[in-house]
Amino acid sequence: MHFRVTHQTKYQYGEPARDSFGELRVRPLETPYQKIVSRELQIEPQTTVERYQDYFGNEVEFFSLPFLHRKLSVRSTTEVITHAQSLSEELLTVPVGDVRQILNPRRWEIFDYLQTSFHVHLKAIPLSLRKKFCHPNSSLREALLEVNTWIYENFLYQSGVTDVNTSVADLLQKKAGVCQDFSHLMLALLRANGLPARYVSGYIEPHDPTQPGHDLVGAAASHAWVEVALPGGQWWGLDPTNNQITGERHIKVAVGRDYRDVTPLRGSYQGGGEQEMSVKVDISRLSSPSPSPRTRTLCSSL
């Protein structure tokens, strides 16, 4: 599928701000199942944008504004083509107990995705809940889909009841949250059972124009889901918010241990007084790709 994704973040300061620094993780990744056709980044006021690849392989863009400014606007527009992931069914029929042993030689590579992290506390999972899932004799597919479905059926999608600091323990009490919370819970359940899993940020097409009534949840801003390491070096994506295996309508941007590693825009500034922030994401399906890949960075003055 071919999409255009626009992600815009705006800041309005009550007083002039200075010495601003921003770090962006909004450029979709290039993968075997996802190709960037074009990309345009607009930052106002004018500044220089630098780039690097972080520890997790994400594309990071960063900038600084040493001068006084009352507004900041960051607009990323990307055309991207996605394809369905093709997996050997044999990878998903391996028993969970065998998967743990098969992955053990790769432990150096997947170590970070087996541990407690800032938002994913394994001790928050009660022993009785941990033992409910991922039995050694269950196939990997069966075990992962069971966790995915359990979260979907037992937790209500409701914005405003949680925030970026909500813990897994809080979510187990509230029984309601958003995609970020559900992904953190799934990561905790899988890691507590010895299955390496990572957090994925990205976007999701909310409405399928070819299938009315097949709407998906989580498209107002960035979406989140989980990827699990498979024998053979591949990762398999699951979306507990929508009780789905990830597919062509999911656009992958960044991966990490949890949300803290993939925050779309973070930074700091001096002064500024009260701050107002707004975020808007638009996703549209296109009929045909642009003629050739291109990348532009436009920086103009407010």
Side-chain angles (χ1 to χ4, degrees), residues 66-248:
F67 45 82
L68 293 176
H69 56 283
R70 285 186 175 271
K71 299 178 181 180
L72 170 62
S73 174
V74 179
R75 181 185 178 94
S76 170
T77 303
T78 308
E79 287 187 25
V80 57
I81 295 176
T82 62
H83 302 278
Q85 184 178 11
S86 58
L87 284 176
S88 168
E89 192 63 29
E90 294 179 355
L91 292 175
L92 301 175
T93 58
V94 178
V96 169
D98 292 350
V99 170
R100 297 190 187 107
Q101 294 184 31
I102 293 170
L103 292 176
N104 193 55
R106 290 178 55 202
R107 196 169 182 85
W108 65 270
E109 176 188 344
I110 57 179
F111 179 83
D112 291 316
Y113 305 120
L114 286 164
Q115 310 301 314
T116 284
S117 58
F118 187 84
H119 289 292
V120 180
H121 294 270
L122 305 193
K123 290 183 178 180
I125 303 298
L127 182 60
S128 59
L129 183 57
R130 179 178 67 81
K131 288 186 173 182
K132 181 180 177 70
F133 303 105
C134 304
H135 304 126
N137 293 326
S138 299
S139 72
L140 187 58
R141 173 189 284 275
E142 177 187 359
L144 297 179
L145 292 181
E146 183 182 19
V147 176
N148 209 45
T149 300
W150 180 79
I151 294 174
Y152 178 78
E153 292 181 345
N154 289 275
F155 293 82
L156 175 66
Y157 184 91
Q158 185 177 356
S159 59
V161 299
T162 59
D163 57 35
V164 293
N165 297 311
T166 297
S167 67
V168 169
D170 290 338
L171 178 63
L172 289 172
Q173 291 292 324
K174 293 175 183 289
K175 297 289 185 182
V178 293
C179 56
Q180 172 184 302
D181 306 306
F182 303 153
S183 296
H184 285 155
L185 174 57
M186 188 168 185
L187 291 174
L189 287 168
L190 295 177
R191 292 179 191 173
N193 278 285
L195 292 177
R198 64 189 184 186
Y199 187 99
V200 184
S201 69
Y203 309 108
I204 189 170
E205 182 191 37
H207 313 295
D208 186 342
T210 67
Q211 300 185 55
H214 288 70
D215 294 351
L216 298 177
V217 176
S222 295
H223 190 48
W225 58 93
V226 168
E227 285 185 340
V228 183
L230 302 179
Q234 291 181 286
W235 294 81
W236 197 41
L238 298 112
D239 181 350
T241 304
N242 291 288
N243 194 25
Q244 282 196 349
I245 299 167
T246 59
E248 293 175 277

Side-chain angles (χ1 to χ4, degrees), residues 37-82:
V37 177
S38 67
R39 171 81 191 310
E40 181 175 279
L41 179 64
Q42 297 173 292
I43 297 180
E44 301 176 343
Q46 181 177 356
T47 188
T48 300
V49 178
E50 304 290 344
R51 298 172 178 82
Y52 71 93
Q53 190 173 80
D54 70 12
Y55 172 79
F56 301 101
N58 303 313
E59 298 296 327
V60 184
E61 297 158 310
F62 64 98
F63 61 90
S64 62
L65 301 171
F67 45 82
L68 293 176
H69 56 283
R70 285 186 175 271
K71 299 178 181 180
L72 170 62
S73 174
V74 179
R75 181 185 178 94
S76 170
T77 303
T78 308
E79 287 187 25
V80 57
I81 295 176
T82 62

